[in-house]
Amino acid sequence: MSRLVYVLNGPNLNLLGKRQPHIYGHETLADVERDCQALAAELGLELRFHQSNREYEIIDWIHEARDTAGGIVINPAAFTHTSVAVLDALNTFDAPVIEIHISNVHKREEFRHHSFVSTRADGVIAGFGTQGYLLALRRVARLIDEKVD
Ligand code: DQA
């Protein structure tokens, strides 16, 4: 099983740290990527970390991951609640998928309670702040290790 993991981030997450910090915190996406890369090195994972405001780019990265990756960690951001296309793309990917949200979407507006992506995800993390990315990576590493054993 490949130890390459894609970490994909949806719209507006490029503004992490500046955007509604009372909800999403003060860390930037660059901080999150740095911490993810450090943990990945510890876990023996190789990471491709991406963010886009364009739905088709997220879909293209999922397609790319199909041929190469052992797992996907995805914060689809607002596409979580709207995108059948992102769900369809994830349904073409055979290895573990972990969905992560920085905020606890279930404590927020009702339209955030439904996730198309959750119907495919092997696990969902919400409300752990940016630490959720690190927990998701640990879980993917575990699932990859279990497949190897
Ligand atoms: C989010 C939650 C979504 O509802 C929202 O649209 C986001 C970020 C989170 O990480 O908490 O953009 O996915």
Side-chain angles (χ1 to χ4, degrees), residues 9-16 19 29 51 53 75-77 102 133:
N9 294 280
N12 301 303
L13 289 168
N14 53 312
L15 293 180
L16 200 63
R19 168 199 186 200
L29 200 61
Q51 186 277 331
N53 297 325
N75 183 347
I102 296 164
Y133 286 86

Side-chain angles (χ1 to χ4, degrees), residues 21-145:
H22 57 291
I23 296 176
Y24 299 113
H26 291 278
E27 268 197 312
T28 66
L29 200 61
D31 294 332
V32 174
E33 178 171 8
R34 182 204 57 216
D35 292 350
C36 283
Q37 291 289 2
L39 180 63
E42 248 178 64
L43 297 171
L45 301 175
E46 187 195 334
L47 283 199
R48 302 238 165 100
F49 193 100
H50 296 298
Q51 186 277 331
S52 183
N53 297 325
R54 300 172 188 85
E55 195 173 15
Y56 77 87
E57 277 191 317
I58 306 280
I59 292 164
D60 285 350
W61 285 321
I62 295 168
H63 292 178
E64 200 178 277
R66 288 180 77 230
D67 299 325
T68 51
I72 294 177
V73 171
I74 183 164
N75 183 347
F79 294 151
T80 309
H81 318 297
T82 62
S83 181
V84 175
V86 170
L87 169 63
D88 283 351
L90 288 169
N91 276 330
T92 74
F93 181 74
D94 287 335
V97 173
I98 307 294
E99 174 183 354
I100 177 252
H101 301 285
I102 296 164
S103 64
N104 180 0
V105 282
H106 300 289
K107 204 177 166 189
R108 300 180 63 194
E109 303 96 320
E110 189 133 2
F111 64 83
R112 294 185 203 276
H113 298 180
H114 177 260
S115 164
F116 285 102
V117 170
S118 292
T119 64
R120 163 62 183 90
D122 298 291
V124 182
I125 293 173
F128 286 73
T130 52
Q131 191 192 358
Y133 286 86
L134 304 177
L135 299 173
L137 279 181
R138 285 192 185 279
R139 181 65 184 156
V140 169
R142 169 77 69 92
L143 292 172
I144 291 173
D145 290 345

